[in-house]
Amino acid sequence: MQLEQELKEKTADIEKLLERMLPEEAGLQKTIFSAMRYSLMAGGKRIRPLLIAETYRFFGGTDMALAEPFMAAIEMIHTYSLVHDDLPAMDNDEYRRGRKTTHIVYGEDMGILAGDALLNYAFETACRAFEEESEHALRIGKALKILADKAGIYGMIGGQVVDVQESGKAVSGEVLDFIYRLKTSALIEASMMAGAVLAGAEEGQVSRMEQIAGKIGLAFQIQDDILDVTSTTELLGKPVHSDEKNEKTTYVTWKGIEKAHE
Ligand code: GRG
């Protein structure tokens, strides 16, 4: 109960932080600001920024002004990935986080642009750490590199490429683990590594965080696979049985539901 309450309060603080970091909705391009806000403020679990904050504190970080730009940035990157994943060319989903997906509300063109905008604005936002904290420029630079690498072709985008490419095909356990490690674990790894780096953790400690986060990410994705067959659209806020629709191999189709739970 205490953990639940704590989670609720910390999630509410993250919501306020995201609100604060979003661009003002003014100017000729204001449609994009509105689409970014619509996507970002749709009420996800905010797990990734929470992991940055907790890892930062765990390694002795006290000045939240250093971690906050990164907390907002990782949620923007995560949200962009969801917006693009929902597009007609990818999963073609109409619901996410309990409401209509961005391209359904703003059109496909603005859906693509809102994803692009969130990705770019994530780095604009993370760079604000330099304004808040000139003393730790090296730590900020290292955390920026982690964010860029883990979101990129050797991280989340790389995983999504193989996932899309292999949809409709029977995938080996090795390939499935590759997809999960990149598509899902990479951003969890980025969160825990960036939190550690910003707090001044040593290299060895940062790689321990990477290993731990990799396993958390795998567990997180297996749970996502399970919920896709056992939960409801109302509870998840997104369509269930989407893996079946997209003919995807998952831990549930590969190992069966009981083994997946284990
Ligand atoms: C389009 C480059 C690109 C990547 C897309 C993240 C992703 C890759 C696709 C989204 C679909 C999916 C099942 C991804 C695996 C990671 C995952 C379980 C995401 C959902 O994260 P949650 O549960 O979502 O944290 P909320 O809404 O709570 O933030």
Side-chain angles (χ1 to χ4, degrees), residues 229-241:
V229 290
T230 59
S231 193
T232 62
T233 304
E234 291 68 37
L235 271 175
L236 291 185
K238 63 178 182 179
V240 287
H241 305 299

Side-chain angles (χ1 to χ4, degrees), residues 217-228:
L218 179 59
F220 191 81
Q221 183 57 55
I222 296 172
Q223 185 61 22
D224 193 68
D225 293 349
I226 294 171
L227 291 173
D228 191 60

Side-chain angles (χ1 to χ4, degrees), residues 76-102:
M76 288 175 195
I77 295 175
H78 166 59
T79 303
Y80 118 76
S81 81
L82 301 179
V83 171
H84 278 188
D85 191 62
D86 291 333
L87 285 168
M90 297 231 195
D91 277 2
N92 193 19
D93 280 324
E94 286 189 18
Y95 284 93
R96 165 80 65 183
R97 291 171 162 175
R99 51 159 111 173
K100 294 265 185 195
T101 43
T102 308

